[in-house]
Amino acid sequence: MPQLNPAPWLLIMLLSWAVLLMIFKTKTTASTQINTPTTLDFTTQHTTPWHWPWT
């Protein structure tokens, strides 16, 4: 049984791994959103706490 030359398969594996890493990196950086802090408005009236009827 002839043995395959590992040189092209190693290059294919490395390139596919690099492509997958680039895809995952762009997906994760695109999904992160900047969470800007909001200031609390103390001029509004505070409401009473609301509970579910079955609790």
Side-chain angles (χ1 to χ4, degrees):
M1 185 167 186
Q3 186 176 1
L4 293 174
N5 185 7
W9 299 109
L10 181 65
L11 182 63
I12 291 170
M13 184 188 71
L14 290 176
L15 287 176
S16 61
W17 184 249
V19 167
L20 281 174
L21 285 178
M22 288 296 288
I23 290 171
F24 288 139
K25 181 185 175 211
T26 54
K27 281 188 171 288
T28 55
T29 55
S31 67
T32 57
Q33 298 174 355
I34 298 172
N35 189 8
T36 57
T38 58
T39 58
L40 295 174
D41 187 15
F42 292 111
T43 59
T44 59
Q45 293 288 334
H46 294 290
T47 59
T48 58
W50 187 86
H51 299 286
W52 290 103
W54 54 80
T55 58

